[in-house]
Amino acid sequence: MTDVDTYDDTHDVLMGYDPSLWVALPQGWPFQEHATAQSWVDATLHDIRGRSASVTRSGLKHLRRVLEHLAQIPREGESHYLFAPTIDELAGPLRVQYGFCDGERETMLRRLVLETDLDQIEPPLLEAFSTPDLGDGWRGVRFAEHEGALEAAVVYSFRVEPYDLRVSLHIGPPEQTSTLVPFSDDFVQGISVVPAQ
């Protein structure tokens, strides 16, 4: 599946992703073919339930609460996706942010990965990361304490004229890092910036 975001009239940001793993979260209403949040929640719950091998009543209730909460968060100027291959395999939202290029390339790209409003345990180790469409950028896995629990997130940054892009996935418990980072890597591989049609 491919989603298109437009920040200005000259370029589009395309997100190509596997809809059996990721759910596009609404930016507002109407969204896709849904006029209301309830319609989207019901349809999304039905889709995820259909690809789940085992379904429990408590799992369905939890997923419904998660979707109802996510349906109410305004997301102007950003795209968000939920990793949800099954009812029991949910991860925090993946967030795609972009704005016009600003400042010296390397300084800005490093800053986009390193800066956070959470108290980091230590700065993330930056790793070079590239894709055929976005070119060379950076990836870092961050660990921070949030509400008394240790949380992990993976963050990517790229410069593709005219935009600086930042992609982040809230992983949750650090032990899920090695499982989820390959999925976020694949998602980032499907992003491109193209001239607007």
Side-chain angles (χ1 to χ4, degrees):
M1 175 169 277
T2 302
D3 289 340
V4 180
D5 272 2
T6 302
Y7 185 70
D8 68 359
D9 293 334
T10 64
H11 288 81
D12 292 329
V13 178
L14 305 179
M15 270 75 64
Y17 61 96
D18 183 347
S20 69
L21 298 175
W22 300 94
V23 174
L25 300 181
Q27 294 176 312
W29 303 105
F31 174 71
Q32 295 174 343
E33 69 273 12
H34 303 285
T36 65
Q38 192 59 51
S39 168
W40 175 80
V41 168
D42 291 343
T44 304
L45 187 70
H46 178 72
D47 287 348
I48 297 171
R49 180 182 185 164
R51 59 184 184 240
S52 300
S54 64
V55 178
T56 63
R57 194 176 324 178
S58 64
L60 284 172
K61 282 176 71 173
H62 173 70
L63 178 57
R64 180 173 291 279
R65 283 194 308 269
V66 167
L67 293 174
E68 286 171 347
H69 172 73
L70 293 173
Q72 301 307 320
I73 301 172
R75 298 180 178 86
E76 261 183 63
E78 298 181 358
S79 295
H80 290 240
Y81 298 83
L82 178 68
F83 181 75
T86 70
I87 287 175
D88 297 323
E89 295 180 89
L90 302 180
L94 180 138
R95 184 177 180 190
V96 180
Q97 301 167 285
Y98 50 96
F100 290 117
C101 296
D102 182 30
E104 194 273 326
R105 180 187 186 278
E106 282 305 303
T107 302
M108 176 54 74
L109 293 186
R110 287 172 178 271
R111 196 175 113 212
L112 288 173
V113 175
L114 295 173
E115 289 188 0
T116 177
D117 54 359
L118 298 175
D119 291 331
Q120 297 185 83
I121 303 303
E122 59 186 36
L125 176 65
L126 288 175
E127 301 175 289
F129 190 88
S130 64
T131 80
D133 292 319
L134 299 179
D136 295 332
W138 294 102
R139 175 180 70 183
V141 178
R142 291 199 315 239
F143 299 95
E145 196 164 329
H146 180 65
E147 297 179 356
L150 189 59
E151 302 274 322
V154 60
V155 183
Y156 307 79
S157 65
F158 299 91
R159 176 163 286 181
V160 184
E161 299 285 350
Y163 299 136
D164 286 334
L165 284 91
R166 179 180 188 271
V167 181
S168 59
L169 172 66
H170 177 256
I171 292 171
E175 56 269 19
Q176 294 186 35
T177 302
S178 61
T179 301
L180 293 178
V181 166
F183 290 104
S184 62
D185 285 353
D186 286 347
F187 189 101
V188 171
Q189 293 284 346
I191 300 175
S192 59
V193 176
V194 298
Q197 297 284 329

